[in-house]
Amino acid sequence: MVLRILIIVLTILYQNIGFSKVNINSEFNQRYLSNYFSAMLSYNNYDNEKSLKFFNSSKFILNEHDKFLKQYLFSLVENGQVSKAITQIKYSKGKKSAEFFEAQLLLILDSIRNKKFNNANVILEELEKYHEEGTYEFIIFKTLKSYNKLFIERKIKNNKENFGKLSIITNAFQHCYLNSQKSKALFLNVIDPGEGDYSRYLFFYISYLIQNNRYDDVRQVTEDMDPINSGLLILQLKKWIEESNFTKINNYFSCQNEGDLLGEFFYLIANLYSSEDIFKKSNFYLQIADYLNPKFHFNHSLLAENYFLNENYNLAKKALSKINKKDEVYNWYKIKKTCQIIAEQIGEDQSLKFIESNFKKIKQPNLKILYDMGNIYKKFKKYEKSILYYSLVLPKVDPESNTYADVLYRRGGSYERIEKYNLSDIDLLKSLEVYPEEPHVLNYLAYSWLERKLNIEEAVDMLNRAYEQKKNDPYIIDSVGWGYYLIGDYVNAEKFLIQAVQLMPDDPIVNDHYADILWMLDRKLQAKYFWNSVLKLKDTKEEMKKDIQKKLIYGPDKSNL
C-alpha cells in the first residue's frame, strides 16, 4: 500500500510537462512530498486529525492536483469540518482539481442549507456529469434533484426512477414536508414489518403525529413497541413518550426542515455503505448528515460502530463522546460500546468492572438494561448472575410474546452451562411452547440432549427441522452433523460438517468435529491434518488442545458414542 501511494504521488508530480524544473526548484521541495505522503498514510489509517495536519502543510500540492484536493476534502469532512471543506471548494471553484462528485455535492448542500434552492438547481445540472447510472451517486443525484424541486415548487412530482424501499421512504418524507394527509398511510407503508426491519421510521412517523397533535395515535403506536428488542432510536422514543416528553422529539427532527430531511437521507446512504463494509464512504456521509442536522446526535452510534469494526478504538470513543448522557437509552449504548473497547484495549476483567460500575449508578434500570446485563454476564461466563437478571426480566414481559420466549431461551442456555439440565430443559421447552419451531431453540435443546445421550431420535429430528429453516446457519449445520455422528451415521455427518467447515473455517469446535468424523470414516491422515490445524487456531482453548493431543495418538474418545 505504501509503495503504491508513493508511485501515484511521483507519477502525478512528473506527468505535467508544463511543470518545469525551475518551478519544481522554486515552489516544490521534499517537505511537500513528505507531508502529502504522511497525510495519505494517516488518511488510509483512519487518523483524520493527523491527515489534516499533513494536508494543511502541503497546500501547494493540494491546489494544483485534483487527487490531492479530493483526499483533503474527504479528510476535512470525515473530521467533522464540513463547512471548512465547502470553503475550500469555493476557493478552488473553476479549477480542474474541484471537478468531482463530492465537491459539487457539498456546494449543493450548502445552497440548500442556506435556502438558495435555485442556485442548488444550477449546480445539480453540473452534478449530473459525475455520476454513473446504477451507483449510489446516481441515487443521490436523482433523490437530491427530487427534493430540491419539492423545495422550490412545494409540490410532489412522480419520479420515473424506482429505488425500491428508498423511493417509498423519500415519498413519505416529501408528503410529510407538505403536511399532506397521505403522510400517515405512506409512513405505515414504510414501517410494514413484512418487508424487513424499517422500525427506525417509527420515530419520524411519530414526529409527524405529534406535529399534528394526534397524541392518541402516538400512544397506540407506543403500546406495540418491543421493550427489549427494538432498535436504540425506538427504545429512546418509547421512553420519551412514556414520560410525555413530546416536545423533545420534535426538537430533534422536523419534516418541515429541509436540512433534517436530507440529513436522514444521507444517514440512509451511510448505512448502505456501512452494510457493505465501505466504511470511509459511510463516515463521509454520516458527517454530511450531521452537518445538515447536528441536533440528531443519535447517528453518531453508527459512526462509533464503523470505527469499532475497523479497530480504531480512539475514534470510536470520540464518536461516542457526542452522545448526550441525558438520553438514557443511548447513554447505555455508549457504556456498552465503551465496555467492548476496554475489552479489546485492556482486557475483559477491566471491561466487566467498568460496566458493573456504571450499571450501579443507574437508579431505575429499564427492562432493556436488565436484559443486557443478563447477556453481558453470560458472555463473560458469569452464568449464575446472568440467570438472576433474566429472572428479573421475565415477570415484566408478556408471557405470550416472542420476547418472553427469547429470555427463556437465554436463561435456559445459562442453566445448561452450569449443568442444571432439568431447569434448562424446562426453560427451553417452555420457550418452544411460546414460539414453536424457533430454529435456534430447537438446535440448542437438541444438541444438549445429544450430548447427554437423551431422546436421540427426537433430537436428530429437531435438528433437521431447525436446518430446514436455517440452511445457511453454520452452528445449526454443525449440530446436525454432530447429531449424525453421535448416532453413528458418519456418512451423513460428513456431508453436514464439511459445509460447516466451509462456512466457519477458523472455528476450533467445527474443525474438531470434522476431524472426529474423518477418523471414524478411516480417513486418519485427513483427520490429523484438521486436528493439527485446530492447534494453530487463535481461539482454541487449552483444554481442547490437550484433548486433541490425545486424539492425535489414540483417535476420538469412543465413550462419547
Side-chain angles (χ1 to χ4, degrees):
M1 173 62 78
V2 172
L3 182 60
R4 184 166 64 85
I5 294 171
L6 184 56
I7 290 169
I8 291 170
V9 172
L10 293 174
T11 301
I12 294 173
L13 286 174
Y14 290 99
Q15 69 182 359
N16 188 344
I17 296 171
F19 196 70
S20 67
K21 219 171 194 182
V22 175
N23 285 336
I24 291 174
N25 290 332
S26 62
E27 298 184 51
F28 179 75
N29 58 46
Q30 183 63 30
R31 181 171 59 84
Y32 288 128
L33 177 59
S34 176
N35 284 333
Y36 179 72
F37 185 54
S38 299
M40 290 294 290
L41 287 176
S42 298
Y43 179 75
N44 283 290
N45 288 323
Y46 289 85
D47 195 337
N48 295 320
E49 290 184 1
K50 275 189 178 179
S51 70
L52 277 180
K53 176 185 173 183
F54 290 119
F55 273 131
N56 284 325
S57 300
S58 51
K59 284 282 184 72
F60 164 75
I61 304 176
L62 292 170
N63 291 332
E64 294 298 326
H65 299 281
D66 56 341
K67 175 75 173 176
F68 305 162
L69 177 61
K70 186 173 183 177
Q71 296 290 12
Y72 179 48
L73 292 180
F74 264 80
S75 194
L76 281 170
V77 172
E78 288 180 49
N79 204 45
Q81 299 183 38
V82 180
S83 295
K84 187 173 180 180
I86 291 169
T87 301
Q88 179 67 46
I89 295 164
K90 289 177 179 177
Y91 173 76
S92 303
K93 193 173 181 181
K95 296 182 179 179
K96 190 175 185 301
S97 59
E99 293 179 359
F100 56 94
F101 180 86
E102 291 81 8
Q104 302 305 310
L105 173 64
L106 288 172
L107 291 176
I108 291 165
L109 296 178
D110 176 59
S111 294
I112 291 176
R113 197 165 181 252
N114 290 294
K115 297 188 180 297
K116 297 178 179 179
F117 305 123
N118 289 320
N119 187 50
N121 223 27
V122 173
I123 309 171
L124 270 164
E125 297 304 317
E126 290 292 313
L127 188 68
E128 191 167 11
K129 297 188 297 188
Y130 303 106
H131 71 75
E132 294 179 12
E133 191 164 346
T135 64
Y136 285 148
E137 285 78 12
F138 178 73
I139 294 172
I140 290 169
F141 165 70
K142 288 294 183 180
T143 305
L144 267 184
K145 194 170 183 179
S146 169
Y147 267 117
N148 201 54
K149 186 175 284 290
L150 170 72
F151 301 152
I152 293 171
E153 300 178 2
R154 308 289 297 183
K155 60 183 179 180
I156 298 168
K157 290 189 175 181
N158 291 328
N159 293 316
K160 295 178 182 178
E161 290 77 24
N162 182 0
F163 301 130
K165 198 71 174 186
L166 193 149
S167 293
I168 295 171
I169 292 167
T170 299
N171 195 31
F173 276 126
Q174 290 189 348
H175 277 84
C176 187
Y177 179 75
L178 299 176
N179 205 20
S180 159
Q181 292 184 352
K182 294 181 180 179
S183 300
K184 179 178 178 179
L186 291 169
F187 272 122
L188 290 174
N189 187 31
V190 170
I191 60 182
D192 179 4
E195 299 183 20
D197 184 11
Y198 291 91
S199 58
R200 172 184 175 86
Y201 293 94
L202 275 170
F203 183 95
F204 307 106
Y205 171 49
I206 285 177
S207 174
Y208 160 76
L209 292 176
I210 291 170
Q211 173 189 307
N212 288 278
N213 301 315
R214 298 168 70 167
Y215 298 106
D216 289 340
D217 286 345
V218 168
R219 291 187 176 90
Q220 185 178 351
V221 173
T222 308
E223 289 175 3
D224 295 329
M225 291 178 183
D226 189 318
I228 289 176
N229 294 315
S230 294
L232 288 172
L233 188 59
I234 301 310
L235 288 171
Q236 186 63 67
L237 174 67
K238 181 177 174 65
K239 182 169 178 58
W240 287 330
I241 293 170
E242 289 170 350
E243 296 169 349
S244 297
N245 199 347
F246 302 117
T247 304
K248 192 164 190 176
I249 296 166
N250 279 352
N251 284 343
Y252 286 115
F253 180 88
S254 170
C255 277
Q256 272 67 59
N257 185 301
E258 294 86 4
D260 291 2
L261 287 175
L262 292 181
E264 178 55 26
F265 167 69
F266 282 106
Y267 171 82
L268 180 56
I269 295 296
N271 218 332
L272 290 171
Y273 275 117
S274 180
S275 69
E276 296 180 8
D277 294 342
I278 307 174
F279 296 116
K280 282 201 156 298
K281 279 285 186 78
S282 178
N283 295 343
F284 178 85
Y285 286 110
L286 277 171
Q287 293 292 3
I288 285 180
D290 188 58
Y291 165 75
L292 292 165
N293 184 5
K295 309 180 295 295
F296 214 81
H297 62 82
F298 314 113
N299 290 344
H300 286 279
S301 61
L302 179 57
L303 192 61
E305 291 290 342
N306 285 350
Y307 285 131
F308 181 82
L309 290 170
N310 276 285
E311 300 181 6
N312 198 322
Y313 303 123
N314 290 331
L315 283 178
K317 286 189 282 189
K318 183 178 178 182
L320 291 170
S321 70
K322 303 288 180 67
I323 293 173
N324 194 331
K325 289 183 178 181
K326 293 179 180 179
D327 296 325
E328 183 185 68
V329 173
Y330 274 89
N331 189 53
W332 175 242
Y333 160 80
K334 176 181 176 179
I335 292 167
K336 288 194 300 175
K337 187 54 65 177
T338 305
C339 168
Q340 287 182 274
I341 293 170
I342 292 171
E344 295 293 336
Q345 289 186 316
I346 303 173
E348 290 193 346
D349 289 343
Q350 290 301 315
S351 173
L352 184 57
K353 286 178 183 177
F354 171 82
I355 203 154
E356 286 179 325
S357 171
N358 280 275
F359 174 72
K360 288 175 183 176
K361 297 174 186 177
I362 302 172
K363 294 179 180 178
Q364 293 182 311
N366 59 33
L367 274 182
K368 171 65 174 172
I369 293 174
L370 294 173
Y371 172 81
D372 283 346
M373 285 304 295
N375 291 336
I376 289 163
Y377 278 121
K378 189 172 185 178
K379 180 181 180 296
F380 283 103
K381 299 183 179 179
K382 307 289 185 183
Y383 299 113
E384 290 87 353
K385 286 190 175 182
S386 74
I387 290 166
L388 170 66
Y389 284 98
Y390 292 139
S391 298
L392 289 173
V393 171
L394 280 168
K396 300 176 182 179
V397 178
D398 178 1
E400 296 182 0
S401 67
N402 290 345
T403 300
Y404 189 81
D406 174 61
V407 181
L408 282 170
Y409 162 54
R410 292 172 183 275
R411 189 176 71 172
S414 291
Y415 277 130
E416 190 270 340
R417 291 287 84 195
I418 57 175
E419 299 183 357
K420 291 188 176 182
Y421 298 120
N422 185 48
L423 292 173
S424 174
D425 287 358
I426 289 171
D427 273 359
L428 295 172
L429 287 167
K430 179 65 177 174
S431 178
L432 287 170
E433 282 182 29
V434 178
Y435 190 172
E437 296 299 296
E438 205 292 318
H440 297 101
V441 184
L442 285 171
N443 175 63
Y444 198 101
L445 179 57
Y447 192 90
S448 176
W449 281 351
L450 288 172
E451 290 284 279
R452 290 180 274 151
K453 301 180 177 62
L454 294 175
N455 311 319
I456 302 296
E457 290 184 8
E458 185 180 356
V460 172
D461 178 61
M462 289 165 65
L463 288 172
N464 279 310
R465 279 151 45 201
Y467 174 72
E468 286 302 314
Q469 298 178 66
K470 294 282 184 179
K471 290 190 175 182
N472 293 318
D473 188 312
Y475 296 102
I476 291 177
I477 294 169
D478 172 65
S479 295
V480 176
W482 195 240
Y484 280 118
Y485 172 84
L486 291 174
I487 63 174
D489 187 347
Y490 307 124
V491 173
N492 273 319
E494 199 263 347
K495 289 178 183 177
F496 284 96
L497 258 300
I498 195 170
Q499 292 180 55
V501 168
Q502 289 168 350
L503 291 168
M504 292 197 299
D506 297 324
D507 186 276
I509 294 173
V510 170
N511 281 276
D512 181 35
H513 283 173
Y514 187 50
D516 285 356
I517 291 165
L518 290 171
W519 183 278
M520 300 309 291
L521 289 169
D522 203 28
R523 290 154 62 182
K524 293 182 172 58
L525 283 175
Q526 285 177 277
K528 287 184 177 183
Y529 171 83
F530 277 92
W531 279 324
N532 279 312
S533 72
V534 173
L535 293 175
K536 298 173 186 175
L537 294 173
K538 66 176 184 178
D539 294 329
T540 305
K541 305 285 192 242
E542 285 303 316
E543 186 178 348
M544 179 179 279
K545 287 181 180 179
K546 291 177 183 177
D547 289 340
I548 287 173
Q549 294 289 1
K550 292 177 183 177
K551 289 180 182 181
L552 285 165
I553 300 170
Y554 305 109
D557 184 357
K558 302 295 193 300
S559 65
N560 288 330
L561 302 177

